[in-house]
């Protein structure tokens, strides 16, 4: 596997001054030879001027956060990362490779989670090229490669975890976003490392149940929430009843037997746990 090698190139500004000086000297010598009708100096200056023009092809510009991959007749020579005007062998071919940070959002994929429920999921991936040689020679199109491998990694990750936890402490797509993001980044990095790509961040940007089961799952979530709320209400009601009984007994307000306590507890629980407000009723007995 080809790996990046840093290639040292000459300062382009110094090379440009030298080449311009040689070109002017050749032009002056050509004029002198033509005036003196000397064919040999004229031919030499002509060849020298052609050589200067060829050497000018060795000049190239490297932009910030960019690399130039150099090749000589199909062989990898190295990569120039130093920005500015540079000069190297004019026979080298020079391919520009962007080293800037890129990001994209995957399509909203429809997959089955670990529980078999169909879900829709999408992610945002932040990446950049870390090894220019691998990016150029190991894959056909590095950007397309990263996109496809990211979607494949997202599908694999979604099938390993449930949408929501079914037990306390269980890792799920919805309840543990940080852990899922780390696992997704590692999964993508493993797949695109061969292309010289570094994945800086990968996070889920869209997560929802598929439309065909969304309503059923919404009712399920509502039922779970209602049950949890009922549990809290019952716990609070039991605590309040216990406090009321102990308060009546400690202050000696009224003495209740076991049957009366049971009736009082039943009435208090009904009042405290009911969905609607209590409506007291006054018994009126007719005497005559």
């Amino acid at each position: 596997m080809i790996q990046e090698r840093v290639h040292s190139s000459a300062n382009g500004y110094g090379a440009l001054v030298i080449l311009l000086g040689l070109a002017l000297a050749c032009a002056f010598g050509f004029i002198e030879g033509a005036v003196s009708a000397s064919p040999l100096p004229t031919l030499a200056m002509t060849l020298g001027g052609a050589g200067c023009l060829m050497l000018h092809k060795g000049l190239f510009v490297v932009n910030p956060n960019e690399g130039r991959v150099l090749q000589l007749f199909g062989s990898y020579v190295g990569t120039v990362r130093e920005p500015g005007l540079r000069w190297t062998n004019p026979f080298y071919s020079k391919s520009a490779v962007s080293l800037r940070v890129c990001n994209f959002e995957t399509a909203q994929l429809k997959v089955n989670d670990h529980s078999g429920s169909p879900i829709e999921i999408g992610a945002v991936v932040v990446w950049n090229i870390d090894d220019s040689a691998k990016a150029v020679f190991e894959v056909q199109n590095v950007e397309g490669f990263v996109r496809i491998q990211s979607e494949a990694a997202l599908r694999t990750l979604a099938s390993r975890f449930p949408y929501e936890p079914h037990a306390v402490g269980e890792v799920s797509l919805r309840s543990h976003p940080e852990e899922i993001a780390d696992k997704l980044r590692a999964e993508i990095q493993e797949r695109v490392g061969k292309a010289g790509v570094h994945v800086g961040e990968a996070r889920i940007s869209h997560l929802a149940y598929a439309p065909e089961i969304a309503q059923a799952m919404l009712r399920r979530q509502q039922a779970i929430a209602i049950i949890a709320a009922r549990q809290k209400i019952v716990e609070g009601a039991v605590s309040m009843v216990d406090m009321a009984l102990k308060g009546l007994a400690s202050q000696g307000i009224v003495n209740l037997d076991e049957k009366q306590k049971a009736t009082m507890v039943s009435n208090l629980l009904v009042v405290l746990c009911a969905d609607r407000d209590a409506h007291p009723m006054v018994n009126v007995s007719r005497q005559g």
Side-chain angles (χ1 to χ4, degrees):
M1 181 178 292
I2 299 177
Q3 293 185 343
E4 179 179 295
R5 299 193 302 269
V6 177
H7 181 77
S8 59
S9 58
N11 187 297
Y13 296 102
L16 180 61
V17 171
I18 294 173
L19 291 176
L20 288 177
L22 290 176
L24 291 174
C26 291
F28 182 76
F30 178 82
I31 295 173
E32 289 291 331
V35 171
S36 61
S38 301
L40 194 58
T42 302
L43 179 61
M45 292 299 104
T46 302
L47 295 176
C52 287
L53 291 177
M54 184 185 67
L55 291 175
H56 273 83
K57 292 184 63 178
L59 292 170
F60 62 99
V61 176
V62 180
N63 297 315
N65 284 329
E66 182 184 74
R68 288 281 184 157
V69 177
L70 307 181
Q71 299 179 67
L72 179 62
F73 306 126
S75 299
Y76 174 61
V77 176
T79 300
V80 178
R81 290 200 176 200
E82 187 175 356
L85 182 63
R86 312 301 300 172
W87 184 89
T88 188
N89 191 327
F91 292 102
Y92 289 164
S93 62
K94 310 165 189 69
S95 302
V97 178
S98 176
L99 306 176
R100 299 178 179 90
V101 176
C102 306
N103 71 94
F104 67 92
E105 185 173 10
T106 65
Q108 293 182 8
L109 308 177
K110 186 177 180 180
V111 298
N112 291 334
D113 68 354
H114 184 68
S115 304
S117 302
I119 62 173
E120 292 180 347
I121 189 170
V124 173
V125 181
V126 180
W127 63 281
N128 67 286
I129 293 177
D130 190 49
D131 190 309
S132 60
K134 291 181 180 180
V136 172
F137 300 114
E138 296 296 334
V139 294
Q140 183 70 27
N141 182 348
V142 63
E143 184 175 352
F145 180 80
V146 172
R147 284 182 176 273
I148 293 175
Q149 293 300 322
S150 297
E151 293 185 359
L154 184 60
R155 288 181 181 274
T156 302
L157 183 79
S159 65
R160 292 178 181 172
F161 298 94
Y163 178 88
E164 55 187 358
H166 302 297
V168 178
E170 182 182 12
V171 178
S172 68
L173 299 173
R174 184 176 63 86
S175 63
H176 294 74
E178 295 299 330
E179 294 183 23
I180 295 299
D182 293 338
K183 293 181 182 297
L184 177 60
R185 193 202 68 80
E187 182 74 23
I188 298 175
Q189 182 63 65
E190 183 179 357
R191 293 169 179 264
V192 302
K194 64 183 69 176
V197 171
H198 170 71
V199 180
E201 184 180 3
R203 290 186 176 275
I204 294 178
S205 60
H206 174 78
L207 181 64
Y209 281 111
E212 58 266 26
I213 67 166
Q215 291 298 325
M217 289 302 175
L218 179 60
R219 288 194 294 270
R220 177 175 177 269
Q221 292 176 351
Q222 290 174 343
I224 293 174
I226 291 173
I227 291 173
R230 286 292 181 185
Q231 290 177 344
K232 293 295 183 182
I233 291 173
V234 171
E235 291 176 2
V238 171
S239 176
M240 293 174 68
V241 170
D242 180 64
M243 181 178 62
L245 291 175
K246 290 180 179 179
L248 291 173
S250 63
Q251 297 180 23
I253 298 175
V254 64
N255 293 322
L256 302 175
D257 57 21
E258 295 300 323
K259 184 177 180 180
Q260 291 173 328
K261 287 182 180 180
T263 302
M264 180 179 178
V265 168
S266 176
N267 293 335
L268 286 174
L269 288 176
V270 169
V271 172
L272 294 173
C273 298
D275 288 334
R276 299 178 181 178
D277 295 335
H279 297 283
M281 298 180 64
V282 179
N283 293 325
V284 179
S285 58
R286 179 178 297 179
Q287 298 179 355

